[in-house]
Every structure is written in structure tokens, then in C-alpha cells.
Amino acid sequence: MPNLWPNAVENIMYTFQREDIPNMGPKERCITLLEILLVLPEEFGTMYFNKMQRGILRNTLEKDSPQVLTLIQSVLIPDTPLDIVDLALKCLSSWMQFGVSLLEAEPIIQEVFKGIHNECLFDTTVDVLITVFGHPESSKYSNTLVKLLPKIVDLQPLLHQVIQSQDMDRCQGLCRLIVTVAETHSELLVISVMSSEERRSCALTIVHMVLVLTDMPGAFSVDETCSDLALGFWYILYEDIVSSNPAQYQTYLQIFQPVYLTLLRALIRKVQYPDEEIYNSMSQEEKEQFRCYRQDIYDTVMYIFAILRELLLIEMSSKLTQLAGRLPNQQVKWQEAEAVVFLFGAISENLEYEENTYLPHLFDSLSKLKLYNTTLISTTLQSIGAYSEWFSEHPAILVTILPHILQGLYNPEVATAASMALRDVVRDNRDHLKPFVSEIISTCQTAINSGTLKCRECVRLMSCVGFSLSPLATVDSMKYLNIILLPHLQQLHLLATQQPSSTGKAGILMRLEMFSWLFSSLDTRYREGGDEQTGEDAVVSKETSEPQPVFLILTQTLPIMAALTQVWKTDIGIIDSICEVLKRAIGTLLDDIQPLIHDVSHLIVQLYSEIPSSAVLDITKKLIVLFGKDAEHKTTISSLFDSVCSKTQQYLGSDPQERTDILEQFMMILAQVMKKNSSFFLDSSCDMTLLFQTGIIGLGLPEKLTVKSSCSFLTEVINRNPFAKEVVITNIEALLDRVFRAIGGESPRFVLDPMVDILVALNKHYFDYLAKWLIFFVQQDGFPTSRVTVKEKELFSKTILKLR
């Protein structure tokens, strides 16, 4: 500390510059001095000081920094041994990280660049320069940067040399340095292109150097590992361009569009798969790196499109036309075609739905490509799926693309991409599917029954069936569904009669999931703007008095699910899957499920009879919210609620901490019912006092969501004064005891916030009782913790009583 050792740095430098230190020659003294100066800023950053001490020490080190820089500069001369120069560079890096300004260090930085041409000093020099140019404060010194950037430009010959000689170690270092400069000071580069010719040339040269690094020869992760570092710069540059004012923006576009067009052509090459022999020889880690690299390029092309717009579409259209127009004897290299198709999918999110100049031509060329490789076919299908929303505005294209998708379902190697593309297309184009329904359903049925598809693909195809049949009348839909579903209903019925086995369970789970996805997608009164996963849509687009297909199918499946429940009633996987089927059916049918309410409620009770499941509670909440106020179903829903409450309290038993997921969901149900239909409890046989006490138990658990749902229920009960007045008054002592113990430290701090709502509600509706019990608890010694005094508890109590 300066007060203990004034002028410490000056004294240290003076001491080690003396020649009378025994057993230490000039070189040893220089090394020791540099090592001491190297660790001083590092120790400042790692050691603990209070705010005042840190400020004093920082000021002292800043005052001494010119002497340190002078010493380092005196070392950076040609005759100095390389190991000392290396140590001096590291010392400079340490002081630059500490906060020595770029302005102060400019003369010495000019000298540092010389070390980059020395192989022994290359790595250290690069690290120092990255520290210098990458420092957050460096952008403040734009004039100094303008003087230093030509030094980066001077590295261009060296960059070409190391690339040509395939010196990947030095290439990696130069790449890190150049990209750091470009990313950190991209705004300065953009501004410079509208400045003097010298500055413009310097800025564009640096951008070009990044472009060279992006377009490194060879395949990424096999021949080079640098080009991925450069991709981030293009987004930063894009941000700086688009954030400029409109007048400057147009000028920037004229300057940078040629750069981004060259970048696009480079990325089309870099995103290509290597030759199959090389790719097959890559390790799994290298393949994963390459996959991530391709995804980064995919994202980069989205930014390129924002700059190029029509120019990109012209380039893509030209490439695809050229590839599709090759003569039969001119074999198209599939990697080249795949790269163009892959990046074609990247721009789908940014295209306007009204675009009809280039995309129809692009899809026409796409349909003429010779698809002879599974990777190329999969990528083509993925790109088609990416334009599913655009097809809804241009349905004429469906005639061209649907045959390609349906054909892919017959090939197990591309079935995943084909099923995903089909799902996206039929989901977003239901109004235009009638001419294709028969072909879609027939193909899906054949593919599902082929036995060659994975479970996930069969499930996805069942959702495609649902979306495809949604535009049809129920009677027409059922003609197709009866044929498709009959084998699966029969198989489920058979499995329900067999003893549990792993093979049987897999078959049951797959078919239940198929019905689940079918129920969520099949809605003959489908709505726009909804969620296809739950069936909860927004605005009804067509009305009809005929029953929905989901209703008719559910009528057939309920007895089978009941039989499955009897056999698998202790298997949580089967129970949850049945609940998912019911949840999605209810989400699609809503009020239309009323004729089946009794059967569904009975099945829920069965599902909950042997094993606790939060999925069952979720279904119960859904039914109570939908039909709890309906007089026709009042008895059924009340009976369901009573049964679930009784079983839940039985499951929770004496150790609710083992089933916090059940308690959380249960409390959510109670809070929801109390909030929307509190009179429902009056018709229920559930013990309100016992429910309230269960909520108090929930407050003592460590899980945040469980505590939050318990607080929600208890707060709703308190707010329903005088509906539950007697219950609250009877249990207010236990409630406050639990809340104060939690505040006192028995519960984690992150669960405490929701408890404020309880105190506010008590203050509003039970002020006298709250005040009385606050006095009682304040007088309890050591409660809720021995760390607070009576005076502090009194102050806390007064604060609580002001919460209104």
C-alpha cells in the first residue's frame, strides 16, 4: 500500500538497476525486475481491497506506468536477448490489461509489431496486440487507432505467406489478431470508408483480410480451423451498417454490397461437405465441429441477405439454374448443389410473403435438380419446409414441391427430413390441401405401415394426417381415419390384454403418442393463430354442427385407455402418455367434449388410483376450469375434484418433500379454482382446513415453484373473506409461524418473495388478528432466529402492518 511503501515501483526499478547486487548479473536483474513488474497489475486484479484502498492503489500504479513503459521500450531493441524481449512483451500486456491507455502506449506498440515477424516472439506478440486492440477502452482513442491500423494492413503479405505455406499455427494467431481488430473497431472501419482515401483504403483492406480468412482454402476442421473465427465479424459489420442514418446507409450499401456478395460466394464454397472419403474419415468431434460451423454460416447468410436483398436472390437463382441445367453427361457434384440449397433455406425467415419474382423460379430450378444423394435430398426437403408459410401465399407451388416430399417418405434415410417438411407444409397450408389430401394420406399410411420408419417419424406423420384432414368434413375425414387407425386401435386393444413387458410398453407408448399428435392437429373447425401442439387456437374460421373426428376417435379409444390403465396403473410413463392424449383431445374439442365428461372423469380417477402423477392433476385442472361452473356436469366434476384431493393428500402423507411436483401442481389447481370459481368449494366434500394446512406445509419446502403455488392458493383463500374466514382465523398462527421461520433462515432466500402476498392479504382482511399474533411472535425469545433483537422484530412488525 502507498501509505506503507511510498514510491514502491520507483524504488524497485532503482534497486534492480544497481550493479552492486551480489550474485546477479545484468540479465538476471533485468529478468527479475520484469517478473516483479509483470505480477503487480495481476495481483491488483486478483487481491481483495476495499473501495478506498483499490482507488488509492490504482492511482499509484497509473502514476508509475510511464516509468514502466519507458523501461519496457528500452528493452525492445535489436540486441536484447529474445527471452528478455518475450518477458517484456508479457509485462506490457499485463499493464495494458490493467488500463494503460492506448495513447500512452502508442510509441511502444509501434515497436511491438516488429516481433510478429520473429517466429520465437510471434505468439507473445500476437497476444499483446490482441490485448491492446481488444481492450474495451481502446475505442476511445480513434486518432491513435487510425495511426496504428496501417500496421495491421502491413501484415497482409505475411498472412498470404502463412496461408500459402499452410502454417496453421501462425495463421491461427494472425486470424485472432485481425478479427479482434475488425470486431472491436468495426464502427471505426465503417466510418473510415467515408473519410480520406488513405483511411478508406486501410479500412477496406482490413475488411478484405477478414474476407480472406473467411475463405480459407480447404475444408474446415480438416484442412483449417481459422475461418470460423471470422464469421462473427460480418454480423457486427452488418449491425454498424444498418444502424447508420438513412443517407449514410445507402452509401454504405454501395460500398459493402460487393464485399458481401464476395462473402456469399465464399460461404457457398466453405459450407460444402468435403469429399465423402474425407468426411467418413473424420472423427465424431470433427464432424460435430463441422456441423456447428455450417450452422454458423447459415446464420451469417441471414445477415448477408439483409444487405444484398435482391442481389442474393439473383445469385442463388443463377447458381441453381446452372446446377439444374447441367446435361445428363455433366454430373453435378452433390456437395456444390447441397451447399446452395442449404443456404437457400437460410433466407426463408427474412423474405416477404409477397415475393413472387425470384422464388417461383428458384423452386422450379430446385425441382429439376438431380437428387441422387441422401444428404442432398435431406437438405432439399429441409429447405422446402422452411418456406411453408410462403407457400400459403403462393399455393400453386405446392404442385411442384409436394411430390418431392412424399417421395422422401419411402426412403428411411431421408424420412426424418421428409416428415418434418411435410408437417410444416400441411400445417401452414391447410386451406389449400384438398386437391392433395388423398395422395398425402395414402403415402403417410403406407410409410407408417412399412415398418421402416422410426417411432418419432411415425408420430410426426400422424400429425400430418391430422392437418391434412382438417379442411374436410367429418364424414370425409372419418373415411380415411377408419382405414388408418383401425390397425393401431386393434394393436392397442391386444396390448391391453397382455401382461406388461418392455416390448409391449414401447408399442403402447408409440401408438398413444401417435393419437396424441393426431388429436392436437386434427380440427375440422381449425382456427388461425393458435398452437398446434395443444390444439388451443384463437379465432374460429368455420363452424359446423357435426361432431369433430377427434370426438369420434376419442369415443373409441377411451375404453382401450381404461383397459390399459388397469394393466399399467403403476407405470408412470404409460399414465403420463394417456394424460397427454386426453389433454390434447380436450384442447381441440373444448366444449365439444361434454358428452364424454363422465367417462373422461372416471378414467382420470382410475389413472390416479395407484400412483401420483402431475399430468393427471393438470388434466383435472383443465376440466374444472372448463366445466366447473356448468350445472349439467357439476356433480361429475365435484366428484372428480373430491377424489383427486383425497388421493393427493394420501400420497403426500407425512413427507411431502418427496413429492414436491405433486404438491406444486395440486396447489396450482386449488389456487386456480379458488380464483375463478370459489363457490366450487362449497359444493365439495373436501376439508378446507386440511387443504389450507397442506398449503402451509408447502411454504416450508425449498423448491421455488412449490412455494409460489402454495402462496398463490393461501393468498386466494385469505382474499375470499368471509368465505373461508373461520379457516384462516383457526390457522393464522401456524401460517405466520411458517412464514416467519422461512424469513428467519429456514428456507432459501430465493423462495421468500411470494410470501409477501400472504402478509399483504392478511393485512388487508385480517388486520386485528395479524397485529395480535405479531405481538405474540415478537415476544418469543430466539424466534425466528437468535440473530435478531426484539427491537429489530418490532420494527419489522411495524413495516408489515403498513403493507396495504
Side-chain angles (χ1 to χ4, degrees), residues 153-177:
V153 173
D154 292 341
L155 298 176
Q156 196 171 13
L158 179 61
L159 176 62
H160 289 298
Q161 177 189 328
V162 297
I163 291 175
Q164 191 171 9
S165 63
Q166 297 183 345
D167 185 348
M168 284 299 109
D169 290 335
R170 287 205 291 170
C171 187
Q172 184 91 4
L174 287 175
C175 181
R176 287 170 49 228
L177 173 58

Side-chain angles (χ1 to χ4, degrees), residues 405-443:
I405 299 175
L406 297 178
Q407 187 178 2
L409 296 176
Y410 294 114
N411 184 347
E413 294 185 72
V414 300
T416 297
S419 61
M420 293 176 71
L422 182 61
R423 179 200 60 194
D424 294 340
V425 170
V426 297
R427 180 194 62 210
D428 296 327
N429 295 271
R430 281 176 276 186
D431 287 334
H432 311 295
L433 290 180
K434 283 187 179 181
F436 312 101
V437 166
S438 181
E439 186 180 3
I440 292 172
I441 300 303
S442 173
T443 305

Side-chain angles (χ1 to χ4, degrees), residues 86 89-90 92-93 97 109 112-134 152 155 158 162 169-181 229:
D86 186 78
L89 291 173
K90 292 176 181 176
L92 174 64
S93 178
Q97 285 179 339
I109 293 170
V112 169
F113 270 97
K114 296 177 182 178
I116 213 163
H117 298 282
N118 187 315
E119 289 191 18
C120 298
L121 299 174
F122 179 84
D123 291 336
T124 304
T125 303
V126 167
D127 290 338
V128 173
L129 292 175
I130 287 174
T131 300
V132 169
F133 286 102
I152 300 295
L155 298 176
L158 179 61
V162 297
D169 290 335
R170 287 205 291 170
C171 187
Q172 184 91 4
L174 287 175
C175 181
R176 287 170 49 228
L177 173 58
I178 294 166
V179 170
T180 297
V181 172
L229 300 176

Side-chain angles (χ1 to χ4, degrees), residues 596-661:
L596 297 176
I597 286 294
H598 182 271
D599 294 335
V600 172
S601 298
H602 181 68
L603 177 57
I604 291 173
V605 172
Q606 279 186 280
L607 291 168
Y608 207 54
S609 61
E610 294 291 335
I611 186 170
S613 167
S614 57
V616 175
L617 294 175
D618 191 33
I619 296 290
T620 303
K621 180 180 73 172
K622 206 172 188 70
L623 285 178
I624 293 173
V625 170
L626 284 173
F627 305 110
K629 294 182 180 180
D630 196 320
E632 183 182 352
H633 305 293
K634 196 171 189 178
T635 303
T636 301
I637 299 299
S638 292
S639 176
L640 170 64
F641 180 69
D642 293 344
S643 175
V644 167
C645 286
S646 174
K647 273 292 179 184
T648 302
Q649 290 172 330
Q650 179 183 328
Y651 288 140
L652 293 174
S654 58
D655 191 11
Q657 194 160 355
E658 292 298 316
R659 295 314 310 253
T660 55
D661 58 328

Side-chain angles (χ1 to χ4, degrees), residues 83-117:
D83 55 342
I84 294 181
V85 174
D86 186 78
L87 186 57
L89 291 173
K90 292 176 181 176
C91 183
L92 174 64
S93 178
S94 179
W95 281 83
M96 294 302 296
Q97 285 179 339
F98 165 72
V100 172
S101 73
L102 191 63
L103 182 62
E104 288 181 85
E106 181 198 343
I108 196 171
I109 293 170
Q110 298 275 5
E111 293 296 320
V112 169
F113 270 97
K114 296 177 182 178
I116 213 163
H117 298 282

Side-chain angles (χ1 to χ4, degrees), residues 301-566:
V301 169
M302 290 193 288
Y303 316 134
I304 294 175
F305 177 72
I307 298 294
L308 296 180
R309 306 299 296 184
E310 190 174 295
L311 291 174
L312 185 144
L313 294 175
I314 294 171
E315 182 72 15
M316 287 289 192
S317 181
S318 173
K319 286 278 187 184
L320 273 180
T321 302
Q322 180 185 358
L323 291 168
R326 296 272 179 89
L327 296 173
N329 61 345
Q330 294 177 309
Q331 184 77 1
V332 176
K333 190 179 179 183
W334 73 263
Q335 289 92 338
E336 184 180 354
E338 192 274 343
V340 177
V341 174
F342 178 70
L343 297 183
F344 172 53
I347 61 176
S348 59
E349 293 183 17
N350 297 330
L351 270 173
E352 295 83 5
Y353 294 155
E354 296 77 19
E355 208 295 312
N356 60 1
T357 304
Y358 299 100
L359 282 186
H361 180 67
L362 278 162
F363 278 107
D364 181 60
S365 299
L366 196 62
S367 67
K368 295 175 182 176
L369 270 179
K370 301 173 184 65
L371 304 178
Y372 60 91
N373 176 276
T374 54
T375 303
L376 173 58
I377 297 171
S378 293
T379 301
T380 302
L381 293 170
Q382 290 167 8
S383 294
I384 288 173
Y387 284 89
S388 60
E389 294 184 18
W390 183 84
F391 296 144
S392 65
E393 299 294 328
H394 307 271
I397 304 292
L398 293 174
V399 178
T400 304
I401 59 99
L402 272 175
H404 289 284
I405 299 175
L406 297 178
Q407 187 178 2
L409 296 176
Y410 294 114
N411 184 347
E413 294 185 72
V414 300
T416 297
S419 61
M420 293 176 71
L422 182 61
R423 179 200 60 194
D424 294 340
V425 170
V426 297
R427 180 194 62 210
D428 296 327
N429 295 271
R430 281 176 276 186
D431 287 334
H432 311 295
L433 290 180
K434 283 187 179 181
F436 312 101
V437 166
S438 181
E439 186 180 3
I440 292 172
I441 300 303
S442 173
T443 305
C444 288
Q445 182 184 0
T446 303
I448 291 172
N449 295 336
S450 68
T452 60
L453 301 187
K454 299 174 184 176
C455 172
R456 193 72 234 161
E457 291 156 1
C458 292
V459 170
R460 199 177 292 122
L461 287 184
M462 195 60 81
S463 73
C464 295
V465 169
F467 288 128
S468 300
L469 294 177
S470 292
L472 304 186
T474 297
V475 63
D476 296 324
S477 297
M478 291 307 298
K479 289 178 183 178
Y480 292 105
L481 290 169
N482 286 333
I483 298 173
I484 295 174
L485 298 180
L486 181 59
H488 302 291
L489 288 170
Q490 290 174 340
Q491 188 64 27
L492 272 179
H493 187 272
L494 177 62
L495 290 169
T497 63
Q498 298 175 353
Q499 289 300 312
S501 67
S502 57
T503 305
K505 180 178 178 179
I508 292 170
L509 289 175
M510 186 188 82
R511 287 168 177 82
L512 287 176
E513 194 171 3
M514 288 170 69
F515 278 99
S516 175
W517 280 72
L518 176 66
F519 287 171
S520 70
S521 59
L522 177 56
D523 189 354
T524 54
R525 285 172 288 183
Y526 66 90
R527 296 100 166 156
E528 297 177 355
D531 183 354
E532 67 275 5
Q533 296 294 322
T534 63
E536 295 176 354
D537 302 308
V539 182
V540 177
S541 63
K542 56 179 183 176
E543 292 290 345
T544 176
S545 59
E546 62 184 0
Q548 289 209 61
V550 170
F551 178 86
L552 300 176
I553 302 168
L554 185 61
T555 303
Q556 300 176 58
T557 54
L558 277 174
I560 299 176
M561 290 192 290
L564 287 170
T565 302
Q566 291 299 319

